[in-house]
Amino acid sequence: MTAPRTLVVRLDSAGDVLLAGPAVRAVAAGSSYTALLCGPQGAPAAALLPGVQRIYVHDAAWVGFTPPRTSREECDLLLDALAAERFDRALILVSHHQSPLPAALLLALAGIGEVAADCTDYPGSLLALRHRRRAGRHEAEAALDLARDFGFPLPAGDDGALRILEPPETVRLTGPDPYLVVHPGAAVPARAWSPGRAAGAVAALHRAGHRVVVTGGPAERELTARVAGRHALDLGGGTRDLGELAGVLAGAQAVVTGNTGPAHLASAVGTPVACLFAPVVPAERWRPYGVAHVLLGDQRAACAATRARTCPVPGHPCLDSVPDEEVLAAVSALLDGAAGRAHADDRGAAT
């Protein structure tokens, strides 16, 4: 029997695409050809995933913080491209609060006969497998559950951890001495320290004897300059692409960051993470996966489960109230391996 030509759909952020990586590998192991349909924010991460043979990009009108309007012309271009590939099967990966049905309708119009997705809404004829997401599952695990139940188990020897293609060597950017990374930015402000609090933490890490590298994108140069100050190497805008940022994270002893794409990128290169996790989304679904990590932040704060993009509580207490002593203790635990031993069995619990 010929292995199917399979499309995986994950239309949101770079971090979401990275978390889909284990499921993509499972699909690729059972397919003759594997493509990924993602959004523009996820495309740089898609290019790093093992098993992906082609990437399609669609800026979907039902996804993202500032979703675009759509047009028949744009949809026709996507449908023509997908139809030409003659896919046999497709998996639509969505978060627990998203509907897969708009994407499922497009795939049906593109002639893909068998489509699977986690779905709470009635799908009519749009899904061959209307999958029920298990309670409490991490995003990476939920995607693997769907892939397995649609006939794509992980191959023997694959541990299901996040993984990317080998990142480039970046010692020319960081220098050869050991370092920590602090990544202060996030697409959602509620999930990051305020700039002043991040700067204070970098200064505390410096005083404790750590060499700190501050990372950020081209649009975050002002932020990284403020956070780095006189105490850290400022690499804001200094990495050419997501692959080069992965190289910087891979070379670090540990990474201090919010619940944002670089936390998952660090996980994918095996670097421990001290994660400033605002409880606006559940940690059980979005915490760093498959690596030693420590969660920092009040998980019972008033903003819990609100999915707020901007902190609704004055002073951003869930993260800005985390003292320097907790940050230093988390980094020390990660460096001496205590957190790694604590997480060896579950690939996702926090200390």
Side-chain angles (χ1 to χ4, degrees):
M1 181 177 178
T2 303
R5 295 170 61 84
T6 310
L7 177 70
V8 179
V9 179
R10 183 82 215 206
L11 288 167
D12 26 25
S13 72
D16 299 309
V17 170
L18 291 169
L19 291 174
V24 170
R25 297 198 307 271
V27 168
S31 300
S32 61
Y33 178 79
T34 305
L36 180 63
L37 172 61
C38 61
Q41 299 301 315
L48 302 180
L49 293 184
V52 176
Q53 292 166 270
R54 185 161 184 178
I55 299 168
Y56 292 93
V57 179
H58 179 65
D59 198 359
W62 59 93
V63 175
F65 302 135
T66 55
R69 295 188 65 84
T70 192
S71 69
R72 178 171 179 171
E73 291 75 16
E74 185 176 356
C75 290
D76 281 346
L77 288 173
L78 176 64
L79 295 178
D80 289 345
L82 296 181
E85 290 279 19
R86 299 186 180 277
F87 290 109
D88 302 297
R89 314 185 88 194
L91 282 80
I92 304 171
L93 304 180
V94 292
S95 299
H96 69 285
H97 60 278
Q98 296 170 330
S99 172
L101 296 184
L105 177 59
L106 288 177
L107 300 187
L109 294 174
I112 303 176
E114 294 187 45
V115 179
D118 288 338
C119 187
T120 57
D121 299 319
Y122 174 63
S125 62
L126 294 177
L127 296 179
L129 173 61
R130 180 192 185 187
H131 195 258
R132 301 289 183 166
R133 181 177 178 135
R134 292 162 56 189
R137 298 294 273 172
H138 192 281
E139 288 294 304
E141 295 168 336
L144 280 170
D145 291 344
L146 173 63
R148 181 194 62 240
D149 292 349
F150 200 41
F152 297 109
L154 277 170
D158 191 324
D159 63 0
L162 305 191
R163 193 170 300 135
I164 61 169
L165 302 173
E166 186 70 25
E169 173 61 59
T170 54
V171 69
R172 64 179 177 79
L173 295 174
T174 63
D177 296 329
Y179 61 93
L180 304 175
V181 164
V182 173
H183 187 92
V188 176
R191 301 184 193 177
W193 266 329
S194 65
R197 180 65 196 93
V202 166
L205 289 165
H206 171 76
R207 289 193 299 269
H210 298 290
R211 189 167 80 92
V212 180
V213 173
V214 177
T215 57
E220 297 174 314
R221 287 191 175 99
E222 183 177 344
L223 169 65
T224 61
R226 178 178 176 182
V227 170
R230 299 178 292 105
H231 305 293
L233 173 63
D234 178 11
L235 283 186
T239 49
R240 291 174 295 188
D241 53 27
L242 198 66
E244 198 161 68
L245 176 60
V248 172
L249 298 178
Q253 296 173 295
V255 176
V256 181
T257 185
N259 173 30
T260 188
H264 304 306
L265 190 59
S267 301
V269 296
T271 301
V273 181
C275 187
L276 295 148
F277 202 100
V280 291
V281 294
E284 68 180 5
R285 294 185 177 125
W286 297 103
R287 69 196 340 156
Y289 185 75
V291 294
H293 67 274
V294 177
L295 295 187
L296 298 169
D298 182 3
Q299 299 304 298
R300 295 175 296 278
C303 62
T306 63
R307 300 217 312 266
R309 299 174 187 174
T310 301
C311 184
V313 183
H316 198 21
C318 68
L319 297 187
D320 276 8
S321 64
V322 176
D324 290 338
E325 292 76 17
E326 283 191 26
V327 179
L328 294 172
V331 168
S332 294
L334 293 169
L335 295 187
D336 70 16
R341 289 190 295 274
H343 298 81
D345 294 331
D346 66 2
R347 296 205 313 253
T351 55

